[in-house]
Amino acid sequence: MLLFCYGIKMLKKILFTLLTLLMIYSTVIIAYKINEPQKIESRALATALSSAAIPYSTLKDYTLNSGESAIHYYFFCSGNDQNCTYVENTVLKSVENSTNLNLDSLLEYVDLSDESEDAMSSPLSDWGINTYPAFVVCNVSQGSITVSNPLEWNASSPMSADDIIRWLSKVGLYNNPSEEEAINTPAS
């Protein structure tokens, strides 16, 4: 009988330990789910899914067919690239907050997601860039595409909101008051 009582006490301790471990595990899982970092969805991915995205493979035809007077402000990016995700979710949002511009309406998204690295390496140089994310201005003159003012990703010095604001000012999409102040302020 003593052995039976000892067995029941031991069983109670084992069950209590298992129940305690189960509660701790459940608490950890619930705490993680509550505090789980939200997955940041790339604006590139959202844009690429919309009809506004220009597939890279059709970009040349699209640009040539837009007419002589059209000016395009292209944003070359891939929803699969972490640098693009960073630029879109951090840098461009900061630019929009600083300038009150709606960049989605000013920039045309060129989707590089479906292109292989080998297929793009050479043709990107046709657009005045070597890497992406990148911004360029294009227009058509006498049936040929003119590319100007490229701003591209540099791994050693990633682009900042100030870089993009300067680019927007340079291409005439934004009147940067801080540059005017610097120009109008006499040097001491």
Side-chain angles (χ1 to χ4, degrees):
M1 181 74 164
L2 186 60
L3 189 58
F4 180 73
C5 287
Y6 180 75
I8 289 181
K9 284 184 182 182
M10 188 57 110
L11 182 62
K12 283 183 182 180
K13 286 183 181 183
I14 291 172
L15 289 176
F16 181 75
T17 303
L18 288 175
L19 183 60
T20 303
L21 290 174
L22 182 63
M23 289 196 50
I24 291 171
Y25 175 76
S26 299
T27 304
V28 168
I29 295 296
I30 290 170
Y32 175 78
K33 288 293 184 183
I34 289 172
N35 298 310
E36 181 177 22
Q38 293 181 352
K39 184 178 180 184
I40 298 175
E41 186 173 314
S42 171
R43 284 179 19 183
L45 186 57
T47 307
L49 296 175
S50 75
S51 60
I54 303 164
Y56 180 73
S57 59
T58 64
L59 183 61
K60 187 173 183 178
D61 292 334
Y62 171 81
T63 305
L64 289 171
N65 290 331
S66 63
E68 293 281 326
S69 62
I71 298 175
H72 299 278
Y73 303 94
Y74 289 137
F75 173 44
F76 288 80
C77 209
S78 169
N80 304 328
D81 184 77
Q82 61 183 320
N83 296 332
C84 288
T85 301
Y86 166 74
V87 168
E88 290 181 286
N89 292 329
T90 305
V91 180
L92 289 182
K93 283 185 181 183
S94 178
V95 169
E96 286 180 332
N97 291 337
S98 298
T99 63
N100 293 321
L101 292 174
N102 180 358
L103 296 178
D104 289 334
S105 66
L106 296 174
L107 303 174
E108 295 178 79
Y109 179 81
V110 179
D111 185 16
L112 301 170
S113 298
D114 294 335
E115 304 300 320
S116 70
E117 292 290 327
D118 294 334
M120 284 189 320
S121 60
S122 170
L124 277 179
S125 61
D126 293 344
W127 298 96
I129 57 174
N130 296 313
T131 62
Y132 61 88
F135 301 87
V136 299
V137 179
C138 293
N139 62 352
V140 178
S141 176
Q142 300 176 354
S144 65
I145 299 171
T146 305
V147 178
S148 60
N149 299 310
L151 172 65
E152 63 187 299
W153 180 263
N154 180 347
S156 63
S157 176
M159 64 178 70
S160 67
D162 290 337
D163 294 333
I164 295 175
I165 291 171
R166 279 192 294 278
W167 181 82
L168 291 167
S169 295
K170 185 176 182 179
V171 300
L173 291 176
Y174 178 65
N175 186 14
N176 192 348
S178 65
E179 282 185 7
E180 286 180 11
E181 288 174 14
I183 293 170
N184 295 329
T185 305
S188 303

PDB file of all heavy atoms in Angstrom, residues 114-141:
ATOM      1  N   ASP A 114      11.026  39.674 -62.327  1.00  0.00           N
ATOM      2  CA  ASP A 114      10.998  38.479 -63.176  1.00  0.00           C
ATOM      3  C   ASP A 114      12.240  38.310 -64.030  1.00  0.00           C
ATOM      4  O   ASP A 114      12.360  37.354 -64.774  1.00  0.00           O
ATOM      5  CB  ASP A 114       9.767  38.504 -64.087  1.00  0.00           C
ATOM      6  CG  ASP A 114       8.482  38.391 -63.301  1.00  0.00           C
ATOM      7  OD1 ASP A 114       8.519  37.826 -62.178  1.00  0.00           O
ATOM      8  OD2 ASP A 114       7.440  38.872 -63.772  1.00  0.00           O
ATOM      9  N   GLU A 115      13.169  39.243 -63.938  1.00  0.00           N
ATOM     10  CA  GLU A 115      14.362  39.190 -64.768  1.00  0.00           C
ATOM     11  C   GLU A 115      15.480  38.455 -64.040  1.00  0.00           C
ATOM     12  O   GLU A 115      15.683  38.649 -62.851  1.00  0.00           O
ATOM     13  CB  GLU A 115      14.827  40.606 -65.124  1.00  0.00           C
ATOM     14  CG  GLU A 115      13.772  41.442 -65.813  1.00  0.00           C
ATOM     15  CD  GLU A 115      13.295  40.845 -67.126  1.00  0.00           C
ATOM     16  OE1 GLU A 115      14.132  40.326 -67.874  1.00  0.00           O
ATOM     17  OE2 GLU A 115      12.088  40.900 -67.382  1.00  0.00           O
ATOM     18  N   SER A 116      16.222  37.665 -64.757  1.00  0.00           N
ATOM     19  CA  SER A 116      17.366  36.986 -64.149  1.00  0.00           C
ATOM     20  C   SER A 116      18.552  37.945 -64.125  1.00  0.00           C
ATOM     21  O   SER A 116      18.624  38.879 -64.914  1.00  0.00           O
ATOM     22  CB  SER A 116      17.714  35.725 -64.939  1.00  0.00           C
ATOM     23  OG  SER A 116      18.260  36.084 -66.189  1.00  0.00           O
ATOM     24  N   GLU A 117      19.475  37.709 -63.226  1.00  0.00           N
ATOM     25  CA  GLU A 117      20.662  38.563 -63.114  1.00  0.00           C
ATOM     26  C   GLU A 117      21.451  38.604 -64.420  1.00  0.00           C
ATOM     27  O   GLU A 117      21.917  39.639 -64.841  1.00  0.00           O
ATOM     28  CB  GLU A 117      21.567  38.058 -61.981  1.00  0.00           C
ATOM     29  CG  GLU A 117      20.980  38.222 -60.601  1.00  0.00           C
ATOM     30  CD  GLU A 117      20.894  39.669 -60.154  1.00  0.00           C
ATOM     31  OE1 GLU A 117      21.767  40.461 -60.538  1.00  0.00           O
ATOM     32  OE2 GLU A 117      19.944  39.998 -59.434  1.00  0.00           O
ATOM     33  N   ASP A 118      21.590  37.472 -65.087  1.00  0.00           N
ATOM     34  CA  ASP A 118      22.352  37.418 -66.340  1.00  0.00           C
ATOM     35  C   ASP A 118      21.667  38.217 -67.443  1.00  0.00           C
ATOM     36  O   ASP A 118      22.316  38.894 -68.230  1.00  0.00           O
ATOM     37  CB  ASP A 118      22.535  35.973 -66.802  1.00  0.00           C
ATOM     38  CG  ASP A 118      23.399  35.172 -65.837  1.00  0.00           C
ATOM     39  OD1 ASP A 118      24.222  35.792 -65.142  1.00  0.00           O
ATOM     40  OD2 ASP A 118      23.241  33.944 -65.779  1.00  0.00           O
ATOM     41  N   ALA A 119      20.349  38.139 -67.503  1.00  0.00           N
ATOM     42  CA  ALA A 119      19.614  38.824 -68.557  1.00  0.00           C
ATOM     43  C   ALA A 119      19.659  40.333 -68.368  1.00  0.00           C
ATOM     44  O   ALA A 119      19.553  41.080 -69.321  1.00  0.00           O
ATOM     45  CB  ALA A 119      18.166  38.347 -68.580  1.00  0.00           C
ATOM     46  N   MET A 120      19.824  40.802 -67.125  1.00  0.00           N
ATOM     47  CA  MET A 120      19.776  42.233 -66.867  1.00  0.00           C
ATOM     48  C   MET A 120      21.130  42.917 -66.840  1.00  0.00           C
ATOM     49  O   MET A 120      21.207  44.108 -67.061  1.00  0.00           O
ATOM     50  CB  MET A 120      19.123  42.494 -65.504  1.00  0.00           C
ATOM     51  CG  MET A 120      17.651  42.328 -65.509  1.00  0.00           C
ATOM     52  SD  MET A 120      16.939  42.887 -63.996  1.00  0.00           S
ATOM     53  CE  MET A 120      18.060  42.325 -62.777  1.00  0.00           C
ATOM     54  N   SER A 121      22.186  42.225 -66.535  1.00  0.00           N
ATOM     55  CA  SER A 121      23.459  42.890 -66.282  1.00  0.00           C
ATOM     56  C   SER A 121      23.884  43.812 -67.418  1.00  0.00           C
ATOM     57  O   SER A 121      24.279  44.928 -67.192  1.00  0.00           O
ATOM     58  CB  SER A 121      24.546  41.866 -65.983  1.00  0.00           C
ATOM     59  OG  SER A 121      24.697  40.997 -67.079  1.00  0.00           O
ATOM     60  N   SER A 122      23.790  43.380 -68.624  1.00  0.00           N
ATOM     61  CA  SER A 122      24.178  44.209 -69.757  1.00  0.00           C
ATOM     62  C   SER A 122      23.128  45.273 -70.075  1.00  0.00           C
ATOM     63  O   SER A 122      23.462  46.433 -70.212  1.00  0.00           O
ATOM     64  CB  SER A 122      24.442  43.318 -70.966  1.00  0.00           C
ATOM     65  OG  SER A 122      24.600  44.095 -72.101  1.00  0.00           O
ATOM     66  N   PRO A 123      21.850  44.916 -70.189  1.00  0.00           N
ATOM     67  CA  PRO A 123      20.873  45.927 -70.580  1.00  0.00           C
ATOM     68  C   PRO A 123      20.676  47.061 -69.573  1.00  0.00           C
ATOM     69  O   PRO A 123      20.286  48.142 -69.957  1.00  0.00           O
ATOM     70  CB  PRO A 123      19.576  45.141 -70.738  1.00  0.00           C
ATOM     71  CG  PRO A 123      19.989  43.738 -70.972  1.00  0.00           C
ATOM     72  CD  PRO A 123      21.272  43.587 -70.218  1.00  0.00           C
ATOM     73  N   LEU A 124      20.951  46.864 -68.296  1.00  0.00           N
ATOM     74  CA  LEU A 124      20.788  47.954 -67.334  1.00  0.00           C
ATOM     75  C   LEU A 124      21.673  49.139 -67.707  1.00  0.00           C
ATOM     76  O   LEU A 124      21.294  50.289 -67.501  1.00  0.00           O
ATOM     77  CB  LEU A 124      21.113  47.492 -65.909  1.00  0.00           C
ATOM     78  CG  LEU A 124      20.012  46.790 -65.143  1.00  0.00           C
ATOM     79  CD1 LEU A 124      20.492  46.382 -63.761  1.00  0.00           C
ATOM     80  CD2 LEU A 124      18.757  47.604 -65.043  1.00  0.00           C
ATOM     81  N   SER A 125      22.836  48.857 -68.259  1.00  0.00           N
ATOM     82  CA  SER A 125      23.726  49.945 -68.651  1.00  0.00           C
ATOM     83  C   SER A 125      23.104  50.786 -69.766  1.00  0.00           C
ATOM     84  O   SER A 125      23.445  51.959 -69.911  1.00  0.00           O
ATOM     85  CB  SER A 125      25.091  49.406 -69.059  1.00  0.00           C
ATOM     86  OG  SER A 125      24.956  48.538 -70.170  1.00  0.00           O
ATOM     87  N   ASP A 126      22.188  50.214 -70.540  1.00  0.00           N
ATOM     88  CA  ASP A 126      21.478  50.983 -71.563  1.00  0.00           C
ATOM     89  C   ASP A 126      20.626  52.081 -70.929  1.00  0.00           C
ATOM     90  O   ASP A 126      20.267  53.053 -71.588  1.00  0.00           O
ATOM     91  CB  ASP A 126      20.566  50.078 -72.401  1.00  0.00           C
ATOM     92  CG  ASP A 126      21.356  49.096 -73.255  1.00  0.00           C
ATOM     93  OD1 ASP A 126      22.568  49.304 -73.433  1.00  0.00           O
ATOM     94  OD2 ASP A 126      20.751  48.111 -73.726  1.00  0.00           O
ATOM     95  N   TRP A 127      20.306  51.914 -69.664  1.00  0.00           N
ATOM     96  CA  TRP A 127      19.479  52.882 -68.951  1.00  0.00           C
ATOM     97  C   TRP A 127      20.329  53.777 -68.044  1.00  0.00           C
ATOM     98  O   TRP A 127      19.819  54.486 -67.189  1.00  0.00           O
ATOM     99  CB  TRP A 127      18.394  52.154 -68.143  1.00  0.00           C
ATOM    100  CG  TRP A 127      17.480  51.396 -69.056  1.00  0.00           C
ATOM    101  CD1 TRP A 127      17.563  50.077 -69.379  1.00  0.00           C
ATOM    102  CD2 TRP A 127      16.397  51.929 -69.807  1.00  0.00           C
ATOM    103  NE1 TRP A 127      16.583  49.757 -70.291  1.00  0.00           N
ATOM    104  CE2 TRP A 127      15.851  50.879 -70.562  1.00  0.00           C
ATOM    105  CE3 TRP A 127      15.832  53.194 -69.919  1.00  0.00           C
ATOM    106  CZ2 TRP A 127      14.762  51.053 -71.412  1.00  0.00           C
ATOM    107  CZ3 TRP A 127      14.736  53.363 -70.765  1.00  0.00           C
ATOM    108  CH2 TRP A 127      14.227  52.298 -71.500  1.00  0.00           C
ATOM    109  N   GLY A 128      21.635  53.733 -68.209  1.00  0.00           N
ATOM    110  CA  GLY A 128      22.536  54.613 -67.474  1.00  0.00           C
ATOM    111  C   GLY A 128      22.826  54.176 -66.051  1.00  0.00           C
ATOM    112  O   GLY A 128      23.334  54.956 -65.253  1.00  0.00           O
ATOM    113  N   ILE A 129      22.505  52.923 -65.740  1.00  0.00           N
ATOM    114  CA  ILE A 129      22.732  52.419 -64.382  1.00  0.00           C
ATOM    115  C   ILE A 129      23.416  51.058 -64.435  1.00  0.00           C
ATOM    116  O   ILE A 129      23.399  50.388 -65.469  1.00  0.00           O
ATOM    117  CB  ILE A 129      21.415  52.314 -63.586  1.00  0.00           C
ATOM    118  CG1 ILE A 129      20.400  51.417 -64.314  1.00  0.00           C
ATOM    119  CG2 ILE A 129      20.839  53.683 -63.305  1.00  0.00           C
ATOM    120  CD1 ILE A 129      19.128  51.139 -63.558  1.00  0.00           C
ATOM    121  N   ASN A 130      24.006  50.676 -63.329  1.00  0.00           N
ATOM    122  CA  ASN A 130      24.632  49.359 -63.219  1.00  0.00           C
ATOM    123  C   ASN A 130      23.999  48.514 -62.131  1.00  0.00           C
ATOM    124  O   ASN A 130      24.135  47.294 -62.135  1.00  0.00           O
ATOM    125  CB  ASN A 130      26.133  49.505 -62.939  1.00  0.00           C
ATOM    126  CG  ASN A 130      26.849  50.168 -64.085  1.00  0.00           C
ATOM    127  OD1 ASN A 130      26.648  49.810 -65.234  1.00  0.00           O
ATOM    128  ND2 ASN A 130      27.664  51.159 -63.782  1.00  0.00           N
ATOM    129  N   THR A 131      23.391  49.162 -61.149  1.00  0.00           N
ATOM    130  CA  THR A 131      22.772  48.459 -60.034  1.00  0.00           C
ATOM    131  C   THR A 131      21.375  49.013 -59.776  1.00  0.00           C
ATOM    132  O   THR A 131      21.001  50.052 -60.323  1.00  0.00           O
ATOM    133  CB  THR A 131      23.604  48.622 -58.744  1.00  0.00           C
ATOM    134  OG1 THR A 131      23.661  50.017 -58.406  1.00  0.00           O
ATOM    135  CG2 THR A 131      25.001  48.060 -58.900  1.00  0.00           C
ATOM    136  N   TYR A 132      20.649  48.331 -58.965  1.00  0.00           N
ATOM    137  CA  TYR A 132      19.343  48.820 -58.536  1.00  0.00           C
ATOM    138  C   TYR A 132      19.191  48.571 -57.049  1.00  0.00           C
ATOM    139  O   TYR A 132      19.946  47.752 -56.505  1.00  0.00           O
ATOM    140  CB  TYR A 132      18.210  48.166 -59.352  1.00  0.00           C
ATOM    141  CG  TYR A 132      18.121  46.656 -59.224  1.00  0.00           C
ATOM    142  CD1 TYR A 132      17.367  46.063 -58.215  1.00  0.00           C
ATOM    143  CD2 TYR A 132      18.794  45.818 -60.109  1.00  0.00           C
ATOM    144  CE1 TYR A 132      17.297  44.682 -58.087  1.00  0.00           C
ATOM    145  CE2 TYR A 132      18.721  44.444 -59.998  1.00  0.00           C
ATOM    146  CZ  TYR A 132      17.973  43.887 -58.988  1.00  0.00           C
ATOM    147  OH  TYR A 132      17.895  42.529 -58.869  1.00  0.00           O
ATOM    148  N   PRO A 133      18.350  49.293 -56.374  1.00  0.00           N
ATOM    149  CA  PRO A 133      17.372  50.274 -56.838  1.00  0.00           C
ATOM    150  C   PRO A 133      18.053  51.485 -57.466  1.00  0.00           C
ATOM    151  O   PRO A 133      19.167  51.855 -57.078  1.00  0.00           O
ATOM    152  CB  PRO A 133      16.612  50.665 -55.575  1.00  0.00           C
ATOM    153  CG  PRO A 133      17.475  50.272 -54.443  1.00  0.00           C
ATOM    154  CD  PRO A 133      18.317  49.143 -54.909  1.00  0.00           C
ATOM    155  N   ALA A 134      17.353  52.061 -58.431  1.00  0.00           N
ATOM    156  CA  ALA A 134      17.907  53.207 -59.148  1.00  0.00           C
ATOM    157  C   ALA A 134      16.775  54.080 -59.674  1.00  0.00           C
ATOM    158  O   ALA A 134      15.656  53.613 -59.890  1.00  0.00           O
ATOM    159  CB  ALA A 134      18.771  52.736 -60.307  1.00  0.00           C
ATOM    160  N   PHE A 135      17.113  55.339 -59.882  1.00  0.00           N
ATOM    161  CA  PHE A 135      16.177  56.323 -60.421  1.00  0.00           C
ATOM    162  C   PHE A 135      16.823  56.940 -61.652  1.00  0.00           C
ATOM    163  O   PHE A 135      18.007  57.286 -61.614  1.00  0.00           O
ATOM    164  CB  PHE A 135      15.900  57.429 -59.397  1.00  0.00           C
ATOM    165  CG  PHE A 135      15.318  56.932 -58.108  1.00  0.00           C
ATOM    166  CD1 PHE A 135      16.136  56.503 -57.078  1.00  0.00           C
ATOM    167  CD2 PHE A 135      13.951  56.888 -57.931  1.00  0.00           C
ATOM    168  CE1 PHE A 135      15.608  56.045 -55.879  1.00  0.00           C
ATOM    169  CE2 PHE A 135      13.407  56.422 -56.732  1.00  0.00           C
ATOM    170  CZ  PHE A 135      14.238  56.002 -55.711  1.00  0.00           C
ATOM    171  N   VAL A 136      16.061  57.084 -62.726  1.00  0.00           N
ATOM    172  CA  VAL A 136      16.559  57.753 -63.927  1.00  0.00           C
ATOM    173  C   VAL A 136      15.432  58.562 -64.553  1.00  0.00           C
ATOM    174  O   VAL A 136      14.251  58.302 -64.316  1.00  0.00           O
ATOM    175  CB  VAL A 136      17.125  56.771 -64.991  1.00  0.00           C
ATOM    176  CG1 VAL A 136      18.292  55.984 -64.456  1.00  0.00           C
ATOM    177  CG2 VAL A 136      16.063  55.854 -65.510  1.00  0.00           C
ATOM    178  N   VAL A 137      15.842  59.532 -65.360  1.00  0.00           N
ATOM    179  CA  VAL A 137      14.894  60.317 -66.138  1.00  0.00           C
ATOM    180  C   VAL A 137      15.093  59.921 -67.593  1.00  0.00           C
ATOM    181  O   VAL A 137      16.221  59.844 -68.073  1.00  0.00           O
ATOM    182  CB  VAL A 137      15.154  61.834 -65.969  1.00  0.00           C
ATOM    183  CG1 VAL A 137      14.179  62.644 -66.812  1.00  0.00           C
ATOM    184  CG2 VAL A 137      15.065  62.226 -64.499  1.00  0.00           C
ATOM    185  N   CYS A 138      13.984  59.656 -68.297  1.00  0.00           N
ATOM    186  CA  CYS A 138      14.056  59.265 -69.707  1.00  0.00           C
ATOM    187  C   CYS A 138      13.062  60.079 -70.521  1.00  0.00           C
ATOM    188  O   CYS A 138      11.966  60.385 -70.050  1.00  0.00           O
ATOM    189  CB  CYS A 138      13.707  57.786 -69.894  1.00  0.00           C
ATOM    190  SG  CYS A 138      14.890  56.661 -69.189  1.00  0.00           S
ATOM    191  N   ASN A 139      13.463  60.388 -71.739  1.00  0.00           N
ATOM    192  CA  ASN A 139      12.535  60.938 -72.719  1.00  0.00           C
ATOM    193  C   ASN A 139      12.943  60.450 -74.097  1.00  0.00           C
ATOM    194  O   ASN A 139      14.022  59.906 -74.276  1.00  0.00           O
ATOM    195  CB  ASN A 139      12.464  62.465 -72.632  1.00  0.00           C
ATOM    196  CG  ASN A 139      13.779  63.134 -72.922  1.00  0.00           C
ATOM    197  OD1 ASN A 139      14.800  62.488 -73.045  1.00  0.00           O
ATOM    198  ND2 ASN A 139      13.752  64.438 -73.019  1.00  0.00           N
ATOM    199  N   VAL A 140      12.049  60.647 -75.034  1.00  0.00           N
ATOM    200  CA  VAL A 140      12.302  60.199 -76.407  1.00  0.00           C
ATOM    201  C   VAL A 140      12.579  61.428 -77.257  1.00  0.00           C
ATOM    202  O   VAL A 140      11.827  62.393 -77.240  1.00  0.00           O
ATOM    203  CB  VAL A 140      11.092  59.408 -76.965  1.00  0.00           C
ATOM    204  CG1 VAL A 140      11.343  58.997 -78.392  1.00  0.00           C
ATOM    205  CG2 VAL A 140      10.798  58.206 -76.097  1.00  0.00           C
ATOM    206  N   SER A 141      13.683  61.381 -77.984  1.00  0.00           N
ATOM    207  CA  SER A 141      14.039  62.468 -78.874  1.00  0.00           C
ATOM    208  C   SER A 141      14.450  61.871 -80.216  1.00  0.00           C
ATOM    209  O   SER A 141      15.401  61.079 -80.277  1.00  0.00           O
ATOM    210  CB  SER A 141      15.198  63.270 -78.253  1.00  0.00           C
ATOM    211  OG  SER A 141      15.620  64.278 -79.128  1.00  0.00           O
TER     212      SER A 141
END
